[in-house]
Amino acid sequence: MTWQILVADDDLIIRNLLKECLELQNYSVILAGNGQEAISLAKIYHPHLLISDIIMPLKNGFELVKELRDIKEFELLPVIFLTNKDGIQDRVNGYQAGCDIYLEKPFNPPELIAIIKHLFTRHNVQLSQTKSDVKLDISLTNRERQVLRLLIKGFSNLRIGEELYLSSKTVEKYVSNLLRKTGSTNRTELASFACKNKII
């Protein structure tokens, strides 16, 4: 499985530096230039981890993480704040907002990679515990089953919408419901879980 990391930073140089650093570790990287864009991309791609600056236009890092934490599927999303704000109160605010790790810029690439690997290891344990509690007699509506069948085939939200005569936004809602019901964090896990447990 390829881990997906969402990077939110309004500094293009930092975004590209992080992308290069992470892709060398074979991570898939999604880039956002502000907090609002990051929210939208998170809902589309369902990343496994977020690396975010704090000071950004439209929606800052604190607001971004708080909003994500209010969404069921992102409750356990590992979050790293990577920022120039290095005051004690800034760190307190960061952890209160819901971040797991608070790093100052400039960052040390080997340290960042070590932290990411640690968070992914811990995240896997949490997911395993969560999924062990998921009942396999998951109740799905007919429409959810239709969406799931097409998702397993690898169809995008747009393609699913075209097949079922639904808007992309409506398909996104169904996919979010399916992720929540199965305890999955992204489309790949959802498809694997559905096939393994024969829920359709």
Side-chain angles (χ1 to χ4, degrees), residues 4 13 19 24 28 33 50 69 78-79 83 96 106 110 115 127-129 158 173 177 187:
Q4 280 194 330
I13 294 176
K19 179 178 173 66
L24 284 174
S28 175
L50 168 67
R69 290 287 186 243
V79 174
T83 178
Q96 287 179 338
I115 288 170
L127 285 178
S128 296
Q129 292 172 343
L158 180 62
K173 179 180 177 182
N177 286 342
R187 297 165 69 96

Side-chain angles (χ1 to χ4, degrees), residues 4-8 28-32 38-39 41-42 47 49-52:
Q4 280 194 330
I5 299 176
L6 173 59
V7 173
S28 175
V29 183
I30 307 155
L31 300 177
I39 287 286
L41 291 174
L49 181 142
L50 168 67
I51 299 175
S52 178

Side-chain angles (χ1 to χ4, degrees), residues 72-73 134 144 175-184 190:
K72 180 69 175 177
E73 66 191 274
V134 175
E144 285 172 341
V175 172
S176 293
N177 286 342
L178 288 165
L179 289 167
R180 176 178 52 78
K181 287 184 176 183
T182 61
S184 303
L190 171 58

Side-chain angles (χ1 to χ4, degrees), residues 80-134:
I80 299 172
F81 271 143
L82 188 59
T83 178
N84 288 318
K85 292 176 71 67
D86 58 357
I88 295 298
Q89 189 57 50
D90 295 319
R91 290 176 176 275
V92 171
N93 292 340
Y95 289 118
Q96 287 179 338
C99 83
D100 296 276
I101 302 292
Y102 195 107
L103 287 179
E104 298 173 26
K105 295 176 181 176
F107 67 95
N108 178 278
E111 180 185 16
L112 177 63
I113 295 302
I115 288 170
I116 289 171
K117 289 180 178 179
H118 166 73
L119 289 175
F120 279 153
T121 299
R122 191 185 73 187
H123 188 54
N124 264 344
V125 172
Q126 290 175 318
L127 285 178
S128 296
Q129 292 172 343
T130 299
K131 288 180 181 179
S132 68
D133 295 331
V134 175

Side-chain angles (χ1 to χ4, degrees), residues 6-23:
L6 173 59
V7 173
D9 198 305
D10 60 336
D11 187 324
L12 179 59
I13 294 176
I14 295 295
R15 290 202 305 273
N16 289 336
L17 181 60
L18 283 166
K19 179 178 173 66
E20 181 179 348
C21 174
L22 296 171
E23 287 183 342

